[in-house]
Amino acid sequence: MQFLGNNPYILLFFTIGLSVWVGKFSFKGYGLGSVAAAIIVGCLLATAGSTYGVKFHLDDFAKSLLYYLFMYGVGLRVGPSFLNALNKDSINYVILAVIAPVLGLGIVVWGAGFFGLPQGAAGGMLAGSQTMSAAIGSAEQAITSGALALQQGMTREQVDAMIALSYGITYIWGTVGIILLCKYLPRIWGVDARKAAIEFEKSHGVPNVDDAGLTAFHPFDVRAYRVTNPETAGKTIKAFRARFPEYQVINVERGEALLGADETLVLQTGDIIALGGRLESMTANMGVVGPEVPEARALNIPLDQAEILVMNKAVIDVPLKNFRNGPLAGQIQLQRIERGGVPLPIGLETTLHKRDVLFVNGLKPAVDKAGSMFGVIARHSTATDLLTLSAGMILGFLIGLIEFPAFGAMVGLGNAGGLLLSGIIVSSLSSRLRFFGNTPNAARNILEDLGLIGFVAIVGINAGAELLTQLTGMIALKIFVVGFLASTIPPIIVWAIGFHIMKINPALLMGATAGARSHSGPAREAAKEVGSSVPWLSFPVGYAVSGVLLTVFGYFAMMLSH
C-alpha cells in the first residue's frame, strides 16, 4: 500500500486498469461497466489504504484535466445531433429528452431537502440515478468554482466522498431500472410493441438488422464477361448502358491491353468487360454479353469508400427507395447511415436528414458523383488536427469565464460547461465545412473514455478514506429511496406523455424513452424485446439532448439542493 501511496501515477493507472477489468464482468448481460467500476475500485483501494495508515490522494490538476478532456470529447460527439434536433420531425423526441432530466433533477433536489441529506448527496444521486457519470464532474464544479460554499463542519473531502457514495448507491438501480422499464412498459400499458414494430417495418421498409451477424451476401458485385453476343458486339459502351442502365462498365480488356471504360469505346467480339451492379442485376440478363470468365486482370479494379455528409436540399426528406433507379444504382453500396453519431437502420422508407452521414463504397467515379449529389464527401486522414483541438480547448475555457447573476451569486458554465459548448461548436462547424479540424472517432473515444474513467477513478481514490466516517445505514437507505424514485418516475411519465399525448408508435417510444435517459442499453434491450431495429430510429436525438442536460445538471443539483 505504501508503494502505491508513494507512486500516484502507478496508483492511477492501476485503478484504471483494474476498473476496466472489473467492468467486463456481467450477470445475465448486466454489469457495472468500467466507469461505475472505477469509482468503486478507487474507493475500495483508498479505504484499504486507510486501514494500513496510508492516505491515497491524487493531484486535483490531473483530475480536472481528465474531466475537461472528457467534456470536450462529449461536445465533439453530440454537436451534429443538436443540429439534427432542430428538424421538425424530431421535436417530440427533444421534448421527451428535456422532460426526463428535468424530472430527475427535481426529484433529487426535493429528496435531498426532504431527508436532510449531507452536502454532495444531490449531485451524486443525480449522476447515479440517471446513469450519467459525467454529472459527478459538474457537481464537483459547483464547489471548486466557489459558486457553492461548504456548509459549516463539511470539508471538501467529505463532500467529494458523499458525491461518490450517493453515486455508487443509486447507480445499480439506475442502470437496471431503466432497462426493465423500457422493456416492459408496453406490457404494463397492454400494448403489443412487437406488432407495432412489424407494422412500422412494413409501412417504412425498415429491416431488422440487429441480429444479422456476419453474412456472405453482398448486394454490390463486380464480374467479368467475354463478349460473344452479336447484339452487344459493335455497340459503344454508351449505347450498351443506355439499354442496360443497371450496369456500370468498369474496364475492357482486349488481348493484352486494358482499355478502360470510355463511353465512346466500341465493344468487339472476344473482349472481356468488367461489369459492376447489384447482385440481382448480374443474374437477371444472363447471356446479354456472353459467358462469365474468371479474368483477374480485368477485375483488378480498386474500389473506393467514403463518408458523405448529407447537405443538399434536394435529397433531404427523400426516402431511400427514390434512389433505387437513379444514376448511381448498382454502382455504390450504402453500408450504413449515422445520425448524430448513432447507426440508423436502413429501410426503403428511411428518409435522409440534414447532416446524416452516409458510409458508402463502390466505384470511385460513382462515389465522387454520390458526394456531389448528396452533399459533402469526406476523405479525411486518421491524424488528429491538434491545432483545432488546442483552439477548441482555449475557446471552451474562455466561454467558461463568462458569468451572470443567479442564485444570489455570479455563476457561469465554468470550464467544464464551456468545453462542452466549445466541442459542440467545433463539431457542428466541422460537419458543415468538409470535416475541418479532424478528430477521428478513435481519438475522440480516447478523450471520452480515458478522461471519464481517469477522472472518476481519482474521485473514488480521493474520497475513499472519508467514506467510513460518513456511511450509515439510515443515510444509505434514504439515498437509495431518492435514487429509486428519480430513476423510476421520469421514464414512466415520458412514456405516458409520448403514448397518450404525442401518439408515438410504441416501438419508437421505447427507443425515445431510452434516449431521454441517454442510455443505449435500454434501446438495445427494447430492440431485442420487439425483435426489430425500430427502437433505434427514435434514439439518437434524445440521446444527445438528454446527455448534455444531465451532464450539466450535476451542477444545478448541488446549487438548488442547498
Side-chain angles (χ1 to χ4, degrees), residues 244-305:
F244 300 101
E246 65 269 30
Y247 299 124
Q248 173 76 7
V249 179
I250 307 169
N251 203 0
V252 177
E253 179 182 358
R254 183 173 297 164
E256 296 296 323
L258 294 175
L259 305 180
D262 187 275
E263 64 177 14
T264 61
L265 180 65
V266 178
L267 300 174
Q268 297 180 9
T269 300
D271 286 350
I272 296 176
I273 64 174
L275 295 182
R278 290 197 299 262
L279 185 61
E280 58 266 30
S281 299
M282 307 303 281
T283 58
N285 300 301
M286 300 296 291
V288 69
V289 176
E292 183 176 0
V293 293
E295 181 55 45
R297 291 186 69 228
L299 293 173
N300 189 22
I301 304 160
L303 297 179
D304 192 19
Q305 59 182 6

Side-chain angles (χ1 to χ4, degrees), residues 367-383:
V367 171
D368 290 338
K369 188 173 183 179
S372 61
M373 176 178 174
F374 288 94
V376 178
I377 194 167
R379 302 183 190 280
H380 51 264
S381 71
T382 58

Side-chain angles (χ1 to χ4, degrees), residues 31 83 206 216 245 294 421 485:
L83 297 179
V206 178
L421 181 57
L485 295 175

Side-chain angles (χ1 to χ4, degrees), residues 104-362:
L105 173 64
I107 293 171
V108 163
V109 170
W110 167 83
F114 181 81
F115 288 112
L117 293 174
Q119 196 171 30
M125 288 188 299
L126 180 84
S129 66
Q130 309 303 303
T131 58
M132 181 51 64
S133 304
I136 295 175
S138 60
E140 286 202 337
Q141 287 291 308
I143 298 293
T144 57
S145 66
L148 181 63
L150 293 173
Q151 291 179 337
Q152 188 173 1
M154 292 288 290
T155 65
R156 168 73 184 280
E157 291 77 13
Q158 289 175 327
V159 174
D160 288 346
M162 185 53 61
I163 292 174
L165 172 68
S166 304
Y167 171 84
I169 291 174
T170 56
Y171 182 86
I172 300 298
W173 176 251
T175 299
V176 176
I178 184 61
I179 290 175
L180 295 177
L181 285 170
C182 285
K183 187 174 182 178
Y184 295 115
L185 273 172
R187 298 188 188 183
I188 297 173
W189 250 255
V191 174
D192 189 343
R194 182 178 291 268
K195 180 179 178 181
I198 293 173
E199 292 174 351
F200 188 90
E201 286 178 355
K202 290 180 178 178
S203 60
H204 291 78
V206 178
N208 180 28
V209 297
D210 282 347
D211 302 318
L214 183 64
T215 174
F217 174 72
H218 295 279
F220 176 82
D221 204 0
V222 178
R223 297 184 179 184
Y225 300 88
R226 186 182 302 277
V227 178
T228 59
N229 191 328
E231 293 186 6
T232 298
K235 286 187 170 59
T236 63
I237 290 178
K238 181 178 181 180
F240 174 79
R241 288 215 64 229
R243 183 182 175 190
F244 300 101
E246 65 269 30
Y247 299 124
Q248 173 76 7
V249 179
I250 307 169
N251 203 0
V252 177
E253 179 182 358
R254 183 173 297 164
E256 296 296 323
L258 294 175
L259 305 180
D262 187 275
E263 64 177 14
T264 61
L265 180 65
V266 178
L267 300 174
Q268 297 180 9
T269 300
D271 286 350
I272 296 176
I273 64 174
L275 295 182
R278 290 197 299 262
L279 185 61
E280 58 266 30
S281 299
M282 307 303 281
T283 58
N285 300 301
M286 300 296 291
V288 69
V289 176
E292 183 176 0
V293 293
E295 181 55 45
R297 291 186 69 228
L299 293 173
N300 189 22
I301 304 160
L303 297 179
D304 192 19
Q305 59 182 6
E307 301 170 19
I308 300 174
L309 181 73
V310 177
M311 296 296 292
N312 289 351
K313 293 181 179 180
V315 301
I316 293 173
D317 294 328
V318 177
L320 292 179
K321 67 179 182 181
N322 286 20
F323 303 106
R324 286 188 299 176
N325 298 318
L328 296 177
Q331 300 180 50
I332 63 169
Q333 177 183 351
L334 178 61
Q335 296 174 305
R336 73 180 191 273
I337 301 175
E338 285 190 3
R339 182 168 296 165
V342 179
L344 194 69
I346 300 174
L348 294 178
E349 295 291 338
T350 299
T351 57
L352 298 177
H353 290 184
K354 195 172 184 179
R355 285 173 289 274
D356 282 352
V357 179
L358 311 180
F359 293 77
V360 302
N361 63 18

Side-chain angles (χ1 to χ4, degrees), residues 463-481:
E466 300 290 336
L467 285 180
L468 295 178
T469 63
Q470 297 194 71
L471 181 60
T472 67
M474 186 54 66
I475 289 179
L477 178 61
K478 291 177 180 178
I479 290 173
F480 176 80
V481 169

Side-chain angles (χ1 to χ4, degrees), residues 22-36:
V22 171
K24 291 181 178 179
F25 290 96
S26 62
F27 177 73
K28 294 185 177 180
Y30 302 112
L32 285 173
S34 55
V35 176

